[in-house]
Amino acid sequence: MTRNVIVIGASKGIGAELVTLLAKNQSIQVLALARKIESENKWEAFKNVQVHNLDLQSENLTAELQNILSNVSNVDYVINNAGYLVNKPFLDLSREEIMESYQVNVLGVMSALQVIIPKMLPIGGHVVNISSMGAFQGSVKFAGLSTYSSSKAALTNLTEMLAEEFKDTKLKFNCLCLGAVQTEMLSKAFPGYLAPLTAPEMAEYIVDFTLKQWKWMNGKIIPVSLSTP
Ligand SMILES: NC(=O)c1ccc[n+]([C@@H]2O[C@H](COP(=O)([O-])OP(=O)(O)OC[C@H]3O[C@@H](n4cnc5c(N)ncnc54)[C@H](OP(=O)(O)O)[C@@H]3O)[C@@H](O)[C@H]2O)c1
């Protein structure tokens, strides 16, 4: 049976690698949701990938996602991969930067899940939220990342809350707190730092976790990190 996987934040970095890896599995239908869709679709060769435009900051997010999913009867897996990072001293953050961080990193995810979860409830599924080591309780913290890390911490907590609220269903919610991975976002957070993992390497772990680990855990916050940061 074909399984439907939604990847939110699919345009580049880890998200793009998630789509490429998932697409290699013919039993999976991938819905790649990206804020920016490039004119050249990098997954054109894969018949099991559909790319749609979705901006988590859109005022019409709910309606736009409902429209994208109008012909999708069931969703099996969701990877909430989108992330927005501002690296600035706390006192210099604008209200806009704070609002945008929270909108992409947690509020948009909440709106998206309100649309997606009803399509998962009948047969069950796994929601994987991609957070950060900076949002993991007790981890080493870095100045300049207050709005990014605190909004990702809200996503981490949301995972536990949804696991509790849906515990009597066949839905599972888990959260991966990633350490450093070589992407554009890492260069913004830690300029010049060389991460021990590439985006394809991290994507390999996330895909495996998403497709398999729901059998063994629910509501778990898992650090996935080789280094500090
Ligand atoms: N790289 C690391 O070291 C690291 C560490 C910890 C956690 N993470 C987390 O891992 C995830 C992937 O990060 P990455 O390193 O691959 O970063 P990235 O290369 O900057 O990619 C971030 C993705 O999020 C998307 N996004 C941003 N704003 C969006 C919006 N408004 N609506 C929809 N999508 C939006 C981006 O789309 P656009 O191209 O349109 O901007 C892009 O596809 C993020 O959640 C990040 O917080 C990464």
Side-chain angles (χ1 to χ4, degrees), residues 157-204:
N157 185 274
L158 176 70
T159 311
E160 295 176 302
M161 295 309 301
L162 294 181
E164 174 61 25
E165 192 158 330
F166 290 93
K167 69 183 177 195
D168 296 328
T169 73
K170 290 186 210 155
L171 272 187
K172 302 283 173 55
F173 298 83
N174 289 298
C175 180
L176 301 178
C177 290
L178 307 189
V181 182
Q182 204 61 47
T183 64
E184 264 180 44
M185 185 181 287
L186 182 87
S187 313
K188 223 168 147 189
F190 303 102
Y193 180 80
L194 198 61
L197 283 175
T198 63
E201 286 170 331
M202 184 53 92
E204 190 184 334

Side-chain angles (χ1 to χ4, degrees), residues 9-14 35-36 54-57 81-83 104 130-132 148 152 178-181 183-186:
S11 65
K12 64 183 180 201
I14 298 166
R35 183 162 64 118
K36 293 179 206 137
L54 189 79
D55 183 345
L56 289 173
Q57 293 199 60
N81 171 77
V104 176
I130 303 300
S131 184
S132 164
Y148 170 74
K152 283 289 186 182
L178 307 189
V181 182
T183 64
E184 264 180 44
M185 185 181 287
L186 182 87

Side-chain angles (χ1 to χ4, degrees), residues 82-86 97-107 109-110 130-132 134-135 145-158:
Y84 179 82
L85 183 140
V86 181
E97 285 167 331
I98 295 171
M99 297 299 279
E100 283 178 19
S101 304
Y102 273 77
Q103 182 61 34
V104 176
N105 293 337
V106 65
L107 300 177
V109 175
M110 292 173 87
I130 303 300
S131 184
S132 164
L145 302 181
S146 57
T147 194
Y148 170 74
S149 294
S150 62
S151 55
K152 283 289 186 182
L155 177 67
T156 302
N157 185 274
L158 176 70

Side-chain angles (χ1 to χ4, degrees), residues 1-5 74-78 119-120 123-126:
M1 189 183 149
T2 305
R3 294 171 290 169
N4 290 316
V5 184
N74 67 290
V75 174
D76 300 271
Y77 305 96
V78 183
K119 291 191 181 274
M120 302 181 83
I123 56 170
H126 191 192

